[in-house]
Amino acid sequence: MSKFVSFITAGDPSLEKTKEFIDILAEYSEIIEVGLPFSDPMAEGEVIQRANERALAAGTTTEKMFEMLDEVTFEKMVILTYANPVYVYGYKDFFSRCKKSGVYGVIIPDIPYEERGELLEQAQKHGVHLITLIAPTSAGRVQMLAREATGFIYLVSSMGVTGARSEFGSHLRDTVAQIREVTDVPVYIGFGISTPEQASQMRKIADGVIVGSAFVKIIEKHGEQSGRYISEFIREMV
C-alpha cells in the first residue's frame, strides 16, 4: 500500500463525527493529521478556513479535541495547529497533553525553524515529533532542515496556501534528492493533491502523499453523512 497521509479538521461538523471519520481513514492511512481549529489559519486556503469556522462555531476547543483523541486507537495521529493555540495552552502543558492522548507528532506552520527551540525541547521531552516543513522558499536550507527532522518531512508542493492545484513545481524531485543525501526520514508531499493521478505522480517522487482539502470539501458538502463518501474517495486515492 502506498504511504498515505490524510487530513481533516477536528470538530467539523462535530467531534463525534471527527472520531467516526478517523476510524474510516485509519483503514487506508499511514498517518492522520487533525487540524486544531483556529480563527486565523494562515497556511490554509478557503476550504479549510471554512472548516475551521464551522468547527469553532460548533464549540470545538483544544481540550475537547484532546478528549476526542483520548478515545482514538490509531497510533500515528498528528495535530496541525498554529503558534497561538499552543502558546495559550502552554508549551509544556500542550505537549504533555499530546503524550497523554498518544499523539505522534505536531505541525506548526507559523513557527520559524530558528524560533522553535522551546517548542522542540518540550516535544522531545514528551516523546512527540515536531514535524519539519520544507517549502519552495527553503532553497539553500533544505539539508539543514532535513538533518534534524524526525517522524516525517512535510514537503510543501508549491507556493501559497492549501487547496487543489492543477500543476506542481518542478523543484520537488531535486528537493527530495537533496533530502535523501542527509536523512532517511520519510518525505511526504502535500498541498494541492486532490486526484488519484496527482497522488500517483507525487508517489513516484517521494515516500507518500498528504491529502487534506479534498476530504474537507467532502465534509463541507455532505456534513454528518460524509462517512461513505470519505471511504469511497480514500479507496480511490490509495
Side-chain angles (χ1 to χ4, degrees), residues 10 55 89-90 96 127 141 159 165 167 170 183 213 217:
Y89 199 91
S96 175
R141 292 158 44 98
M159 298 286 283
R165 285 166 171 74
E167 51 186 55
S170 59
T183 183
S213 294
K217 277 186 178 180

Side-chain angles (χ1 to χ4, degrees), residues 134 140-148 177-179 181-182:
I134 294 180
R141 292 158 44 98
V142 169
Q143 292 189 333
M144 178 195 74
L145 295 170
R147 280 191 186 94
E148 296 187 24
Q178 290 182 58
I179 292 169
E181 290 179 4
V182 298

Side-chain angles (χ1 to χ4, degrees), residues 7-9 33-52 79-82 107-110 133 154 160-163 165 191-192 212-213 216:
F7 169 92
I8 55 175
T9 300
E33 292 180 24
V34 173
L36 172 59
F38 177 50
S39 58
D40 186 22
M42 61 183 292
E44 314 299 353
E46 291 183 3
V47 171
I48 297 180
Q49 284 182 24
R50 291 195 297 268
N52 277 254
I79 295 171
L80 189 147
T81 184
Y82 290 85
I107 303 171
I108 310 177
D110 59 342
L133 288 99
Y154 192 131
V161 295
T162 58
R165 285 166 171 74
F191 273 50
S213 294
V216 178

Side-chain angles (χ1 to χ4, degrees), residues 42-48 135-136 154-169 171-172 189-199 201-202 210-214 217 237:
M42 61 183 292
E44 314 299 353
E46 291 183 3
V47 171
I48 297 180
Y154 192 131
L155 180 56
V156 178
S157 68
S158 48
M159 298 286 283
V161 295
T162 58
R165 285 166 171 74
S166 59
E167 51 186 55
F168 298 90
H171 69 287
L172 294 172
I189 298 177
F191 273 50
I193 299 167
S194 60
T195 68
E197 293 75 22
Q198 290 172 338
Q201 176 190 356
M202 295 299 106
I210 302 169
V211 175
S213 294
K217 277 186 178 180
M237 291 293 283

Side-chain angles (χ1 to χ4, degrees), residues 170-188:
S170 59
H171 69 287
L172 294 172
R173 197 175 295 275
D174 289 343
T175 301
V176 172
Q178 290 182 58
I179 292 169
R180 283 286 161 262
E181 290 179 4
V182 298
T183 183
D184 293 326
V185 170
V187 179
Y188 299 89

Side-chain angles (χ1 to χ4, degrees), residues 66-109:
F66 277 126
E67 289 171 1
M68 181 271 295
L69 291 176
D70 288 342
E71 301 177 4
V72 171
T73 58
F74 186 76
E75 292 186 357
K76 288 192 173 181
M77 294 297 305
V78 171
I79 295 171
L80 189 147
T81 184
Y82 290 85
N84 182 270
V86 182
Y87 175 78
V88 170
Y89 199 91
Y91 293 166
K92 179 180 178 180
D93 290 341
F94 185 86
F95 284 100
S96 175
R97 193 67 179 83
C98 285
K99 181 179 181 180
K100 181 182 177 184
S101 293
V103 171
Y104 176 77
V106 176
I107 303 171
I108 310 177

Side-chain angles (χ1 to χ4, degrees), residues 8 12-13 17-18 20-21 24-25 54 214-234:
I8 55 175
D12 177 31
K17 283 295 175 179
T18 299
E20 175 190 319
F21 300 158
I24 295 168
L25 295 169
R54 292 192 298 271
F215 287 114
V216 178
K217 277 186 178 180
I218 291 172
I219 296 168
E220 183 172 45
K221 181 176 181 180
H222 298 286
E224 294 194 352
Q225 309 306 315
S226 297
R228 61 176 285 225
Y229 301 99
I230 290 171
S231 179
E232 291 170 1
F233 181 71
I234 193 170

